Amino acid sequence: MAVVPTDIEDAPGALRPHAEEAFAHELKALAAADDRPRPYGWNLSPWAVALYLLGGTVPGGGTVITPKYVGPRRIVEVAVTTLATDRALLLLGVPGTAKTWVSEHLAAAVSGDSTLLVQGTAGTPEEAIRYGWNYAELLTNGPSRRALVAGPVMRAMAEGRIARVEELTRIPADVQDSLITILSEKTLPIPELGSETQAVRGFNLIATANDRDRGVNELSSALRRRFNTVVLPLPASAEDEIDIVTRRVDQLGRGLDLPAVPEGADEIRRVVTVFRELRGGVTADGRTKVKSPSGTLSTAEAISVVTNGLALAAHFGDGVLRAGDIAAGILGAVVRDPAADRVIWQEYLETVVREREGWKDFYRACREASA
Ligand SMILES: Nc1ncnc2c1ncn2[C@@H]1O[C@H](COP(=O)(O)OP(=O)(O)OP(=O)(O)O)[C@@H](O)[C@H]1O
Ligand SMILES: [Mg+2]
């Protein structure tokens, strides 16, 4: 009989280990070398947290820290510093700008635990942020601490760790507002028990929100004032974006036993170039205007197009990533609206891709994919 692990944590070979597990050796090396003052309850100093995010070499030991976030150093410094103050951190940006990714790594570096997470949706109830009840216990013995089931934020408060709230603006306004007392008074009242849970030092909260969701559930100004907002930009240059895609594809690929991506692989450059040009509405040389399709064409989507391409090459090709392996993925990412986007894509193919030197194979593959 198959044994189903009763505790998810017991499952062997997690498909996606948490940041604190995947980068445990880096966090350990940083903690050992870090002699700067640590805010109360923090595993690392703010300086070491920033080094963990931005990458570099651990002084003394020489352990190499891989960059998690590629972008302006100042953004990371402001984000880390905010967590050491009494204000919470709001990461804002268009889709695929690494808001979730940065929030996970910050929580892992500061608290050694990125799992105290509330996923915001239109249906997120107040219990998800505060607490719920174990009804069997509640009915048998009445309300007590034992019957209370703490939510992730409540646990973070009690343990002095970082809590994460994903997609804050998708949460209904009245539920969002239950965060106000938590963030300003640093306490969570439990009226049923005539009691409260007070936040222990080390507690703070990171929320993420999508620019495009603006207006879905606008943050109330009372709540917004409790946050320092840090806007994560799109990668500044094509080189940065290629770097991000290459690194992440390499990591994902290793987890999936896919072949390695050769340094400076042409196909990655092509995917990134196409995405940047369509997103920006102009070719890289600034000469030709192009129309932008309705999809977001984010870095995150470029990563998935290349990963899928690698899987195609591994399972149905000779293991080398070629134009044909990424053409279908690009088409799927670009053409979201079958009518309007298809016209935009065809026009881009004929006016830009066709003429570009060294892109013949890519042009042909894309034409075949769209046929
Ligand atoms: N500047 C960057 N540095 C490093 N990785 C990046 C960067 N931008 C995007 N990524 C990569 O993009 C992927 C997707 O990012 P993530 O899911 O965090 O985006 P998001 O901003 O939360 O998007 P959404 O708004 O859709 O939730 C991550 O795997 C991350 O590695
Ligand atoms: Mg996200």
Side-chain angles (χ1 to χ4, degrees):
M1 201 177 73
V3 179
V4 180
T6 46
D7 184 348
I8 301 287
E9 281 166 354
D10 290 343
L15 190 53
R16 186 188 178 289
H18 300 301
E20 59 272 25
E21 292 152 12
F23 297 94
H25 59 290
E26 293 188 7
L27 291 168
K28 208 169 138 203
L30 278 167
D34 185 16
D35 52 8
R36 308 198 181 203
R38 302 177 191 188
Y40 194 92
W42 283 37
N43 285 0
L44 297 172
S45 68
W47 169 84
V49 174
L51 177 56
Y52 171 74
L53 265 116
L54 293 162
T57 316
V58 180
T63 306
V64 173
I65 306 294
T66 52
K68 316 298 175 305
Y69 180 68
V70 178
R73 160 173 295 271
R74 199 70 201 167
I75 284 187
V76 172
E77 290 171 351
V78 171
V80 175
T81 310
T82 298
L83 290 178
T85 68
D86 66 340
R87 287 162 70 86
L89 173 65
L90 175 62
L91 298 173
L92 201 67
V94 295
T97 40
K99 301 179 294 294
T100 304
W101 178 250
V102 167
S103 131
E104 177 182 357
H105 284 288
L106 281 173
V110 171
S111 307
D113 184 356
S114 63
T115 64
L116 298 168
L117 169 74
V118 177
Q119 180 62 52
T121 69
T124 301
E126 211 168 301
E127 292 83 66
I129 291 184
R130 293 153 56 89
Y131 52 86
W133 297 98
N134 172 339
Y135 286 104
E137 175 69 29
L138 185 67
L139 290 177
T140 323
N141 296 317
S144 70
R145 282 270 175 178
R146 259 167 60 98
L148 186 144
V149 181
V153 178
M154 192 181 207
R155 279 182 47 206
M157 293 173 77
E159 295 167 13
R161 294 175 194 262
I162 303 285
R164 298 168 54 206
V165 178
E166 279 289 307
E167 309 289 359
L168 178 60
T169 45
R170 288 197 194 153
I171 300 178
D174 55 322
V175 180
Q176 277 181 23
D177 282 347
S178 58
L179 284 172
I180 294 180
T181 332
I182 296 175
L183 295 181
S184 52
E185 310 296 326
K186 314 289 182 202
T187 179
L188 209 167
I190 312 169
E192 295 90 338
L193 303 180
S195 151
E196 64 175 353
T197 289
Q198 276 193 301
V200 172
R201 286 173 69 190
F203 165 73
N204 208 334
L205 187 135
I206 308 174
T208 66
N210 200 313
D211 262 0
R212 297 221 171 168
D213 284 349
R214 197 173 279 163
V216 175
N217 288 301
E218 193 75 64
L219 285 194
S220 70
S221 60
L223 184 55
R224 190 173 267 272
R225 269 185 278 117
R226 267 76 194 180
F227 282 100
N228 259 359
T229 305
V230 170
V231 178
L232 298 187
L234 285 162
S237 67
E239 297 314 316
D240 277 359
E241 197 160 353
I242 290 170
D243 181 36
I244 295 166
V245 174
T246 311
R247 274 175 204 288
R248 191 69 188 124
V249 165
D250 186 55
Q251 267 172 13
L252 289 169
R254 257 181 286 143
L256 300 169
D257 293 327
L258 295 178
V261 203
E263 269 296 313
D266 245 8
E267 305 315 326
I268 295 188
R269 176 170 297 276
R270 285 168 172 176
V271 174
V272 168
T273 307
V274 169
F275 275 31
R276 289 183 75 85
E277 291 185 334
L278 287 173
R279 220 159 55 199
V282 62
T283 51
D285 58 11
R287 290 218 198 114
T288 315
K289 280 213 157 81
V290 298
K291 294 199 191 93
S292 294
S294 57
T296 46
L297 300 178
S298 65
T299 316
E301 282 165 283
I303 292 169
S304 90
V305 167
V306 177
T307 310
N308 286 337
L310 266 185
L312 272 176
H315 299 306
F316 298 104
D318 57 4
V320 179
L321 186 64
R322 295 183 207 282
D325 302 317
I326 52 168
I330 292 191
L331 183 73
V334 174
V335 180
R336 285 286 148 87
D337 170 348
D341 289 343
R342 189 170 285 275
V343 175
I344 293 176
W345 176 237
Q346 293 293 356
E347 200 176 305
Y348 176 76
L349 267 187
E350 298 304 326
T351 54
V352 179
V353 176
R354 187 180 179 161
E355 311 295 335
R356 194 164 273 166
E357 210 167 304
W359 280 44
K360 279 258 157 352
D361 57 328
F362 182 68
Y363 172 71
R364 240 179 287 124
C366 289
R367 292 240 355 204
E368 262 168 44
S370 356

